[in-house]
Amino acid sequence: MKVHEYQAKEFFASYGLPVNPSVVCRTPEEAVAAYEKLGAPTVVVKAQVHTGGRGKAGGVKLAHNEREVREKAEAILGMEIKGFLVDRVMVVPAADIESEYYVSFVIDRKSKSSLMMLSRAGGMDIEAVAKETPEKIVKIPVDPLLGMPDYLAREAAFALFDDMAQVKQAVPLFQRLYRLFVEKDASLAEINPLIKTKDGSLKAIDAKMTFDENALYRHPDVFALFEPTADERKEQEAKEKGFSYVNLGGDIGCMVNGAGLAMATMDMIKFYGGNPANFLDIGGSSNPTKIVEAMKLLLSDKHVKVVLINIFGGITRCDDVAQGLIEAFQLIDIDLPIVIRLTGTNEREGRELLKGRKFHIATTMDEAGRMAVELSKNA
Ligand code: GDP
Ligand code: MN
């Protein structure tokens, strides 16, 4: 889950990290009022969107007076950056930059720990630095049991600074950033750039944090900042109904019970040259209302041309599932071809019930995949 820079900076401030006080604004008038309130002669007006590279896209502008603040805010509000509409800007006193650095913490599966990344080539696109000049990035794995003791924070500080004046500031800064990263179950905490000002002090002038969705239940303060995209909203609604749904962009809508079977179904579709529209695990039970809900979710994706239902009847018997499907499809209007494959307890009885209706009935997984892909090509 992503948050905006101004929100990440609030977390930064609450952990004692050096950030300038900022005001978030939704209109040019609010930006002007913020300028007056901050009382700094020069401010930066910054687009607040869930993507980086705002500077390059023209979403970060300096302003030296009231008129400029209004102009820049007018220009940035309503702008689109990488498909994200700017509906908020941050107004913040400008910092006097001498040099820019990069620091972040991420979860590293390879070392099974947090990984600290540092670079003296800050302010730039870090992916480009990693690709073209990987030697400019220092990586320090952080043992979760040891955390960030002073010696490790000092080692990290010396990777960026030669002068003790900055090293002394960097040590607590890194320790606090690490603590924030761990305590909020973040998957990323990044400062790019961390700057050294002309008077030698360190400051975070950008802040980026993403959070592990699976840990949001224990961070209501983070979850409160959730601004889902249309796709994320759908996934969230599905979760609340007890489904697990992920949009995949293809045209074969899949309704499957069990995550493993759902993944195998995607594989089968791909194997026959088709494209799944989604991953959808409806869990157990043959309850028609649940099937109707799942179908509605599936059909809300306008790219779906074929529906493939692949159900394994274990505890839930296939004839019950068939009955549930029949009832469900009496409640929803659908012109699309529907392929059904039932397997497991009472599968023959289940198939018998479905015969003579508008369904395409497959016996094996293979047949179901082939049928669905063929129908999707002809649709
Ligand atoms: P991003 O492009 O989305 O990563 O946005 P940043 O917040 O990193 O800003 C982009 C660039 O704008 C920075 O690398 C700086 O060079 C510049 N910038 C941002 N804030 C300030 C500031 O307070 N003063 C000055 N002089 N430049 C700034
Ligand atoms: Mn940045």
Side-chain angles (χ1 to χ4, degrees):
M1 186 198 120
K2 292 178 179 170
V3 297
H4 294 290
E5 175 195 1
Y6 72 90
Q7 296 164 332
K9 279 186 172 167
E10 276 172 34
F11 286 122
F12 276 26
S14 69
Y15 274 72
L17 291 160
V19 287
N20 274 341
S22 58
V23 183
V24 56
C25 310
R26 289 177 183 267
T27 62
E29 290 69 40
E30 282 178 24
V32 169
Y35 177 65
E36 277 162 13
K37 187 179 147 203
L38 290 167
T42 306
V43 293
V44 192
V45 183
K46 307 180 79 175
Q48 298 296 294
V49 274
H50 284 166
T51 180
R54 295 163 301 163
K56 263 197 197 139
V60 177
K61 299 271 188 215
L62 285 170
H64 302 90
N65 55 50
E66 206 181 294
R67 184 181 49 81
E68 282 184 16
V69 170
R70 185 185 299 276
E71 279 171 11
K72 308 291 177 192
E74 271 168 2
I76 296 172
L77 284 163
M79 212 170 138
E80 212 181 89
I81 302 180
K82 295 184 188 166
F84 293 91
L85 184 73
V86 183
D87 68 351
R88 265 158 286 179
V89 291
M90 164 199 266
V91 179
V92 60
D96 219 356
I97 304 178
E98 187 171 290
S99 38
E100 305 187 59
Y101 306 87
Y102 176 94
V103 55
S104 73
F105 288 98
V106 292
I107 300 289
D108 179 42
R109 283 157 212 279
K110 222 185 199 166
S111 65
K112 296 178 182 155
S113 66
S114 305
L115 186 68
M116 188 181 197
M117 291 201 277
L118 301 133
S119 178
R120 294 189 186 218
M124 297 182 232
D125 177 5
I126 197 68
E127 279 84 13
V129 177
K131 207 167 153 204
E132 287 149 30
T133 47
E135 71 282 0
K136 286 191 181 165
I137 298 179
V138 176
K139 294 180 180 175
I140 303 178
V142 182
D143 185 323
L145 297 178
L146 293 178
M148 262 268 144
D150 290 350
Y151 76 87
L152 194 63
R154 263 198 303 273
E155 181 190 329
F158 279 116
L160 292 189
F161 307 105
D162 301 318
D163 199 323
M164 275 316 283
Q166 280 75 49
V167 170
K168 272 188 193 151
Q169 297 173 66
V171 167
L173 193 158
F174 293 163
Q175 289 172 323
R176 287 167 187 169
L177 186 62
Y178 177 72
R179 201 158 59 79
L180 168 63
F181 172 75
V182 171
E183 287 179 359
K184 296 285 177 198
D185 289 308
S187 35
L188 168 76
E190 179 187 83
I191 310 178
N192 187 27
L194 169 72
I195 61 153
K196 182 169 89 181
T197 60
K198 297 254 158 71
D199 65 15
S201 56
L202 299 184
K203 203 157 251 174
I205 64 165
D206 193 6
K208 189 169 170 187
M209 291 192 77
T210 62
F211 299 90
D212 183 345
E213 277 94 5
N214 294 311
L216 287 175
Y217 71 95
R218 53 187 187 194
H219 301 292
D221 56 338
V222 177
F223 185 60
L225 308 177
F226 184 39
E227 287 174 31
T229 60
D231 277 348
E232 283 170 337
R233 190 163 311 125
K234 230 192 233 175
E235 287 169 16
Q236 183 64 26
E237 281 167 16
K239 204 186 231 173
E240 280 158 17
K241 289 184 180 126
F243 306 135
S244 156
Y245 172 88
V246 182
N247 190 302
L248 297 172
D251 53 13
I252 301 177
C254 304
M255 189 169 116
V256 187
N257 66 338
L261 187 61
M263 283 193 278
T265 305
M266 329 260 92
D267 283 350
M268 194 55 79
I269 291 170
K270 281 281 181 190
F271 180 77
Y272 282 110
N275 281 306
N278 64 280
F279 170 100
L280 173 58
D281 172 12
I282 61 165
S285 120
S286 56
N287 180 346
T289 24
K290 198 167 174 190
I291 294 170
V292 172
E293 286 293 345
M295 277 310 295
K296 277 190 191 153
L297 180 70
L298 222 162
L299 297 173
S300 66
D301 175 357
K302 295 301 162 217
H303 301 292
V304 171
K305 289 197 272 188
V306 178
V307 175
L308 169 55
I309 301 175
N310 190 7
I311 304 282
F312 171 75
I315 297 168
T316 325
R317 293 172 3 220
C318 289
D319 48 338
D320 279 345
V321 175
Q323 202 53 52
L325 287 169
I326 291 165
E327 282 174 42
F329 282 104
Q330 279 162 356
L331 298 171
I332 30 179
D333 241 356
I334 161 169
D335 301 330
L336 304 177
I338 303 164
V339 179
I340 303 182
R341 183 252 183 169
L342 297 176
T343 191
T345 316
N346 288 5
E347 57 175 75
R348 208 161 305 131
E349 290 82 344
R351 277 198 294 272
E352 280 308 312
L353 283 169
L354 295 173
K355 261 190 200 149
R357 295 173 195 271
K358 56 180 175 177
F359 308 119
H360 300 257
I361 317 233
T363 318
T364 63
M365 178 115 171
D366 190 77
E367 194 186 354
R370 209 163 351 117
M371 264 180 169
V373 173
E374 235 160 66
L375 287 161
S376 77
K377 301 259 151 115
N378 299 332

